[in-house]
């Protein structure tokens, strides 16, 4: 046993939910584009913003804080953390992030729980342990990872949602530009004609100097995705995210060959084993891990390294609370093959609102937090306001 071990004494999980209903005078006033911001929400509408915060308490009193992806219900990952993972953690060395990650992953891999809610729960634990490691060392996590490669992270505004009227899409896009963004992402997925109308309106509104990205959220088959790809080329748009089902790798590779566009995938993938298959199929140009889903920072660094071996960039997915925002920026600061970061701008009280020191955004980039650990200071009163369950 190492003299420098920091033993884990207790694990807490807090399920957070900020309802969209509370942002408006009545539930009837919540706009349709907020309930259904992407084609993937047409079956399961968005009711609000969700996250599970994880607090890992060390025996010496220090606390590391992480986040599990919360959609569609934060109570799910909070339950997995509390009832499945916490018993495996108590007494372990909180500094041994790789050893703990393998212990938790192997604990359920043989049972088939190596994706989904289990990996999201594991991610929250891992982020909390990296936060703890940084606090013990008195350093931001990106320094522990060998960074910084950069101290400001280029990002794009996301999303221009699925508005009914193309003029509304253009208006939202222009608002992002006026806020200082030099790149933005438009949700598509309603067929060639509708997609063309909205993308053309956005392009006309923001001009040629603003980068326009697209996200179909798995709306198409190969042939329709090919037709929509021609629209993107006409409008000088290269970023084509999740045009097909995320596991349809052979057809993604064919779409990449047909269109010559930048094919982007990965926000619903979890480990290097998922990424491996995409790389071997030559199906993608950019991989989008979410640190609160894909096993935390421990696995995300492996994902980035594996991607670099195939000359594929990473561009972390940016949906979550302020905790995962800061965690993603720590990863971005230490990742050489970073393309960009998705700075989600849907109304979200549990993003900047639960941080006393949210990252600064200016001139199209976010500043990497420099405090110890993940670099944030949590506003506990704000967290309490949105906590719907404690485990």
């Amino acid at each position: 046993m190492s003299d420098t071990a920091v033993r884990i004494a207790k694990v807490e999980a807090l399920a957070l939910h900020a309802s969209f209903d509370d942002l408006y005078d009545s539930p009837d006033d919540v706009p349709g584009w907020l309930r259904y911001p992407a084609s993937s929400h047409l079956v399961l509408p968005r009711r609000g913003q969700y996250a599970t915060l994880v607090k890992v308490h060390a025996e010496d009193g220090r606390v590391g804080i992480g986040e599990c992806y919360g959609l569609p219900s934060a109570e799910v990952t909070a339950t997995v953390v509390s009832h499945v993972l916490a018993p495996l953690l108590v007494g372990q060395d909180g500094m041994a992030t790789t050893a703990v990650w393998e212990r938790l992953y192997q604990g359920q891999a043989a049972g088939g729980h190596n994706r989904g809610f289990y990996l999201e729960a594991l991610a929250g634990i891992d982020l909390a342990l990296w936060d703890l490691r940084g606090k013990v060392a008195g350093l931001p996590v990106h320094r522990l990872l060998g960074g910084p490669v950069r101290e400001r992270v280029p990002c794009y505004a996301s999303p221009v949602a699925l508005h009914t009227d193309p003029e509304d899409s253009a208006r939202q896009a222009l608002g992002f530009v006026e806020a200082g963004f030099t790149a933005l992402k438009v949700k598509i997925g309603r067929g060639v004609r509708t997609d063309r109308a909205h993308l053309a309106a956005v392009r006309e509104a923001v001009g040629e100097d603003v980068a326009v990205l697209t996200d179909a959220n798995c709306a198409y088959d190969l042939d329709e995705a090919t037709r929509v790809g021609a629209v993107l080329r006409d409008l000088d748009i290269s970023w084509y995210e999740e045009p097909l089902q995320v596991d349809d790798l052979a057809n993604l590779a064919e779409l990449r060959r047909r269109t010559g566009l930048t094919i982007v995938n990965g926000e619903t993938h979890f480990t290097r084993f998922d990424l491996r298959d995409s790389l071997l199929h030559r199906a993608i140009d950019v991989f989008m891990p979410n640190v609160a889903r894909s096993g935390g920072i421990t696995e995300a660094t492996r994902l980035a390294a594996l991607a670099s071996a195939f000359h594929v960039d990473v561009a972390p997915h940016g949906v979550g609370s302020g905790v995962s925002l800061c965690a993603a920026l720590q990863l971005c600061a230490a990742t050489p093959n970073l393309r960009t970061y998705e700075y989600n701008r849907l109304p979200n009280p549990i993003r900047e609102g639960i941080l006393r020191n949210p990252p600064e955004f200016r001139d199209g980039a976010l500043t990497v937090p420099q405090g110890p650990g993940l670099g944030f200071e949590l506003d506990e009163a704000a967290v309490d306001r949105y906590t719907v369950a404690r485990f």
Side-chain angles (χ1 to χ4, degrees):
M1 182 182 298
S2 171
D3 291 337
T4 59
V6 178
R7 298 294 167 188
I8 298 170
K10 183 176 70 170
V11 179
E12 291 182 275
L14 285 67
L16 274 57
H17 177 202
S19 172
F20 288 152
D21 293 351
D22 296 335
L23 302 179
Y24 295 84
D25 292 335
S26 77
D28 293 337
D29 294 332
V30 179
W33 62 264
L34 189 52
R35 294 282 193 213
Y36 306 96
S39 59
S40 56
H41 294 116
L42 297 179
V43 174
L44 184 65
R46 289 286 296 271
R47 301 297 181 188
Q49 300 287 4
Y50 305 83
T52 296
L53 297 192
V54 177
K55 295 185 177 183
V56 174
H57 296 258
E59 289 179 347
D60 64 7
R62 284 179 280 206
V63 180
I65 301 172
E67 178 188 338
C68 315
Y69 193 73
L71 285 166
S73 172
E75 289 90 337
V76 177
T77 45
T79 300
V80 176
V81 169
S82 175
H83 294 282
V84 182
L85 296 177
L88 300 177
L89 285 165
V90 174
Q92 298 299 306
D93 180 4
M95 300 297 97
T97 45
T98 300
V100 171
W101 197 98
E102 292 297 329
R103 173 180 172 84
L104 300 182
Y105 183 78
Q106 295 300 331
Q108 287 293 317
H113 299 297
N114 51 8
R115 291 179 175 83
F117 294 123
Y118 187 77
L119 257 291
E120 290 167 353
L122 195 163
I125 294 291
D126 185 76
L127 294 181
L129 292 181
W130 276 98
D131 186 48
L132 181 63
R133 280 188 65 178
K135 289 172 177 174
V136 169
L139 294 170
V141 164
H142 68 264
R143 293 297 302 276
L144 301 181
L145 296 173
V149 176
R150 62 188 62 79
E151 295 185 349
R152 301 190 70 239
V153 174
C155 58
Y156 60 90
S158 173
V160 174
L162 288 181
H163 295 280
T164 302
D165 192 326
E167 284 69 30
D168 289 332
S169 293
R171 188 176 301 111
Q172 187 178 20
L174 193 57
F176 290 144
V177 175
E178 291 170 349
F181 285 93
T182 58
L184 54 91
K185 186 161 74 181
V186 181
K187 294 290 187 179
I188 58 175
R190 293 180 289 185
V192 176
R193 183 176 300 176
T194 301
D195 287 348
R196 181 187 290 276
H198 286 263
L199 289 172
V202 167
R203 173 57 80 195
E204 182 177 0
V206 303
E208 297 297 324
D209 294 334
V210 173
V212 177
L213 296 68
T214 63
D215 185 358
N217 289 107
C218 313
Y220 305 129
D221 61 20
L222 175 60
D223 288 339
E224 188 170 22
T226 302
R227 291 191 290 271
V228 173
V231 173
L232 269 58
R233 292 184 65 88
D234 287 346
L235 295 171
D236 192 27
I237 297 170
S238 63
W239 181 286
Y240 202 3
E241 183 180 333
E242 289 192 342
L244 309 178
Q245 293 296 314
V246 296
D247 60 353
D248 192 4
L249 301 181
N251 279 330
L252 272 176
E254 173 61 15
L255 181 66
R256 183 172 180 253
R257 185 193 67 79
R258 289 183 182 184
T259 64
L261 297 172
T262 299
I263 302 300
V264 185
N265 204 11
E267 70 179 66
T268 60
H269 287 174
F270 293 93
T271 66
R272 59 198 182 278
F273 309 114
D274 299 319
L275 174 58
R276 173 196 60 196
D277 295 338
S278 293
L279 297 173
L280 291 176
H281 277 84
R282 301 286 180 177
I284 61 172
D285 299 281
V286 178
F287 185 71
M288 290 187 70
N290 185 315
V291 293
R293 303 193 80 185
S294 57
I297 284 175
T298 297
E299 187 67 4
T301 56
R302 295 164 171 167
L303 288 164
L306 178 58
S308 72
F310 287 75
H311 302 285
V312 166
D313 288 340
V314 296
H317 181 241
V319 173
S321 86
V323 173
S324 64
L325 166 62
C326 292
L329 292 177
Q330 297 294 335
L331 174 70
C332 291
T335 300
N337 55 321
L338 176 78
R339 176 76 63 97
T340 185
Y341 173 68
E342 178 179 22
Y343 191 21
N344 188 273
R345 304 313 298 150
L346 287 177
N348 188 354
I350 61 173
R351 191 175 48 232
E352 291 85 359
I354 66 169
L355 303 180
R356 295 190 181 278
N357 57 337
E360 178 198 27
F361 169 80
R362 60 179 171 83
D363 300 329
L366 283 159
T367 300
V368 178
Q370 297 297 316
L374 297 179
F376 61 84
E377 296 177 17
L378 207 59
D379 184 335
E380 295 288 356
V383 170
D384 289 344
R385 189 177 311 128
Y386 298 107
T387 298
V388 295
R390 296 177 183 271
F391 296 82

